[in-house]
Amino acid sequence: VERMKTQQATGAGTNTAVRIIVERIVESLERGDVPWRKPWKTRRAHNATTGHEYRGMNALLLNMASHYPDPRFLTYKQAAALGLQVRKGEKGWPVIYYSTAKSKEAAIQPGEVKTEAKRYRFLKYYTVFNAAQIDGMAPLEESAPVATITPADDIVQRMPRRPLIVDGRRACYSPLQDRVEMPPKTAGWSSPEEYHSTLFHELVHATGHESQLARDLSGKFYGKDGNYAREELVAEIGAQFLCQAAGINVPQVEENAVAYCQGWARALKSDPQAVFYAAAKGQAAHDYILGVARNATSEGES
């Protein structure tokens, strides 16, 4: 059954939406799957009715459905309008829309001064189903939206205000020097894809510099002190969006993969809003590096 909620950002309804979405992500992590590391290979997840390609948080959420070969999604109502039927017992995938709106103006009494309507943030969440979960769905046509693939080296070169990239012993970004240090390509990387995936991670960090997207790269939001850092999650997610743009599908090869997933799961349980922040900032970093202009009003479109 399709669900829809619209609430102010501080309302209980929004807290419920956050809980539902974070529960799905944590569920994936606790299975050992990292949803932001499972990009679609050649086609972007999109709404089969509107053609809208999902971005940001929604791209991350629908990566959890990437075991389906079909990137098309529909709400229950959209499927019914096409004479299709979501199969009984199928579990859908949450997607969100959040933005700002003005409150309704109250009637002005004689002698009162008209005040400006207050703005508030709101969040909508609803459920979509993959085409493979819907009976009667037509086969995927070749004309379906295909991801634009840009060579990884071109992505690096086109980055505006690109930081200095130097050879070093480890992969890291220094906000003070605005410099990325990377082991050279000849330093024993298992593949070119692994090298570029790591470089993308550091370049996403670099977009947080005050001369670029100006995220907080100090104190608790940055560093290797063992505490959960939102900035690390921004870099994780943003790098995977860039991998998708480059056609890179890097399998998760981690000696401590289970502990890694469990660590993110614990972090999101303690700070559920972090993944929303990171998905939005990761998408913004991707857009900045690729030179993609986005309308400010679509900030929360995901």
Side-chain angles (χ1 to χ4, degrees):
V1 177
E2 179 174 316
R3 290 176 294 185
M4 176 78 78
K5 297 287 184 185
T6 306
Q7 297 286 343
Q8 293 188 15
T10 56
T14 292
N15 291 334
T16 300
V18 170
R19 177 181 55 78
I20 290 171
I21 290 167
V22 172
E23 280 178 357
R24 292 298 298 272
I25 294 174
V26 168
E27 181 182 300
S28 177
L29 288 168
E30 289 180 338
R31 288 198 307 268
D33 296 330
V34 183
W36 49 85
R37 291 193 173 193
K38 296 167 61 178
W40 295 91
K41 294 181 180 179
T42 58
R43 302 176 189 269
R44 298 187 188 280
H46 62 278
N47 186 280
T49 294
T50 66
H52 171 74
E53 294 181 355
Y54 295 105
R55 293 166 41 85
M57 186 67 186
N58 289 334
L60 185 156
L61 288 167
L62 295 181
N63 277 349
M64 292 188 291
S66 64
H67 56 282
Y68 291 116
D70 199 313
R72 296 174 297 171
F73 291 84
L74 289 169
T75 66
Y76 188 94
K77 288 183 178 179
Q78 286 175 328
L82 295 173
L84 309 175
Q85 180 61 54
V86 175
R87 285 194 293 275
K88 186 176 180 180
E90 290 287 353
K91 189 174 184 180
W93 310 90
V95 291
I96 63 169
Y97 175 84
Y98 61 99
S99 186
T100 58
K102 288 185 177 181
S103 58
K104 293 183 180 180
E105 295 182 0
I108 303 298
Q109 301 299 323
E112 290 185 343
V113 178
K114 184 177 180 180
T115 58
E116 185 177 350
K118 293 182 179 180
R119 300 186 67 85
Y120 63 91
R121 293 188 66 79
F122 70 89
L123 169 70
K124 295 180 181 180
Y125 75 95
Y126 48 101
T127 302
V128 295
F129 297 87
N130 186 267
Q133 299 174 286
I134 303 172
D135 288 329
M137 197 78 177
L140 185 65
E141 296 180 4
E142 292 300 320
S143 60
V146 176
T148 300
I149 302 301
T150 303
D153 285 326
D154 289 353
I155 290 176
V156 175
Q157 293 302 316
R158 74 163 57 178
M159 178 179 177
R161 298 177 179 268
R162 187 176 67 254
L164 180 66
I165 302 174
V166 300
D167 290 345
R169 295 182 178 180
R170 61 189 182 122
C172 61
Y173 170 66
S174 168
L176 292 178
Q177 298 173 307
D178 193 24
R179 186 182 76 173
V180 167
E181 183 177 318
M182 282 285 294
K185 293 182 180 180
T186 57
W189 296 94
S190 62
S191 68
E193 290 80 10
E194 183 187 16
Y195 171 85
H196 281 103
S197 174
T198 303
L199 178 55
F200 287 159
H201 180 102
E202 302 307 331
L203 291 180
V204 171
H205 277 316
T207 65
H209 191 270
E210 60 184 7
S211 67
Q212 298 186 32
L213 300 182
R215 294 190 305 275
D216 186 350
L217 300 183
S218 64
K220 64 181 180 180
F221 293 106
Y222 192 74
K224 306 291 185 181
D225 58 3
N227 295 324
Y228 176 63
R230 287 186 173 191
E231 177 61 23
E232 281 301 308
L233 190 52
V234 171
E236 273 277 312
I237 293 173
Q240 292 311 306
F241 288 158
L242 289 170
C243 283
Q244 181 176 2
I248 294 174
N249 187 17
V250 181
Q252 182 182 349
V253 181
E254 298 262 359
E255 293 181 1
N256 58 344
V258 174
Y260 179 89
C261 293
Q262 290 176 343
W264 280 118
R266 287 193 299 271
L268 294 184
K269 286 178 180 178
S270 64
D271 185 7
Q273 294 285 352
V275 72
F276 290 83
Y277 170 90
K281 300 301 183 182
Q283 182 70 65
H286 161 279
D287 292 351
Y288 180 88
I289 290 172
L290 292 182
V292 178
R294 292 294 294 173
N295 189 318
T297 60
S298 63
E299 170 192 353
E301 177 186 0
S302 290

